[in-house]
Structure formats: structure tokens, C-alpha cells
Amino acid sequence: MQISMWVPYDEARLRRTITLVMRPQIRIVRVLGGVIVALGLFLLAFSDSVLFGALFTVLGVLFMTALGPFTAARAVSMQSRVIKDGFQMTITEEWLTVVYPLAESRFRWAGIDNIVETPEAWYLMAGRAQSFTIPKDAMTDEQRAEFATFLTAERERQAGRAFLN
């Protein structure tokens, strides 16, 4: 298998990738926000401190609703200019290679921990904080089918390897 494609820079795709990678951390922040709201409501109901109760309630609601999108927007704005030119992606049985005009990365499939498939892309998770996006719209129908078949075989191979360890 050798799939090669040009992937143009897409800020919306980058935002979706960052949101996917940050999902476990944001879930914790939302639970914390719920706890802070409960504390604020408790203070409002059973304390003379209306100011602290209202402050905790508003702060908790912000944690639950606004902190995730704000963090994703900041992460997008902090990305290097290197990625904004798009990249050439090459997929083989052994490597995932991403070549930007000013940088290059290569990863073996054995380094991919998890694969998340959505209707628009495959997200290859390498650890808890790094992800590679393989957009389906940059591939032909034949390439998508070939890659899906490869991923199925790779998952089975890695499951067998985990079983042996």
C-alpha cells in the first residue's frame, strides 16, 4: 500500500482535532464546573455570602460551557506558521509520513495507540496528547477503501501483539 495525498490547511479541521485530543481534559473541567456550581448554589441557599455564591455559580457555569471552546481557540491560534501551508501525507504499511514545506515527521504504525473514525476523518492517536488527522476528503474512494482495509488488519495485528505481551 502506498497512499500519497496533498492536505491543504483547514482551520476547522485543526479545531476538531484539538477538541478531540482535549476531550478527556475538558470532561474533567466540566465536572469540576458542576461541582463549583453546586457549591455556589449551596452558598446562595444556606449562607449570608450572596456575592461568593453568585461568583462560584458564574465561575462554575463558565468552566462547564466556555473554557473548552476558549482553550481550543487558543490552541489553534498558537500553532506554528509551518502548518498553515498544508502538507503532503504518505501512508505505507510501515510509516505515516507528513511533510510540511519546512518540517517533516515520520511515525511507525506500532506507535499509534488508538484510531478514532468519524465521517470526515480518521484520527490516529499517538499517546494522550498527539493526534494525526487523515482527512477522507483528500483521498479517492479507492484510497479510502484501501486504507480502511489496512486499518482493520493493523488493529488485528496490534491486538495480537498486545495479547502476546
Side-chain angles (χ1 to χ4, degrees):
M1 174 185 70
Q2 169 110 12
I3 298 174
S4 187
M5 66 187 130
W6 175 255
V7 181
Y9 175 74
D10 182 349
E11 189 169 306
R13 182 183 305 132
L14 177 62
R15 186 178 306 273
R16 285 190 302 272
T17 302
I18 289 171
T19 301
L20 178 83
V21 170
M22 289 178 20
R23 190 181 319 167
Q25 292 85 3
I26 295 301
R27 190 173 295 134
I28 292 168
V29 169
R30 285 188 176 144
V31 169
L32 178 62
V35 170
I36 293 171
V37 166
L39 178 62
L41 294 175
F42 179 82
L43 287 174
L44 285 173
F46 299 108
S47 171
D48 293 334
S49 180
V50 174
L51 178 64
F52 282 117
L55 182 65
F56 273 81
T57 303
V58 169
L59 187 64
V61 169
L62 285 174
F63 268 56
M64 290 172 32
T65 60
L67 196 58
F70 173 77
T71 305
R74 284 288 297 152
V76 168
S77 70
M78 293 170 53
Q79 296 299 309
S80 170
R81 289 187 321 243
V82 169
I83 71 163
K84 293 186 178 179
D85 291 330
F87 58 89
Q88 181 72 31
M89 179 179 282
T90 304
I91 303 166
T92 66
E93 288 87 358
E94 189 175 356
W95 294 98
L96 168 67
T97 306
V98 179
V99 180
Y100 292 96
L102 298 175
E104 180 175 345
S105 297
R106 284 178 23 141
F107 293 87
R108 289 191 188 272
W109 287 103
I112 302 299
D113 297 327
N114 188 26
I115 300 167
V116 177
E117 183 177 0
T118 65
E120 66 270 347
W122 285 280
Y123 298 95
L124 310 177
M125 306 299 290
R128 294 179 10 199
Q130 187 171 12
S131 173
F132 303 97
T133 304
I134 299 180
K136 293 180 179 179
D137 62 354
M139 300 171 123
T140 65
D141 290 339
E142 296 80 23
Q143 288 174 328
R144 279 194 294 274
E146 181 180 16
F147 186 63
T149 301
F150 168 75
L151 285 180
T152 301
E154 184 62 25
R155 283 182 185 133
E156 290 172 3
R157 189 169 30 259
Q158 285 190 4
R161 208 175 300 136
F163 178 75
L164 294 174
N165 290 334

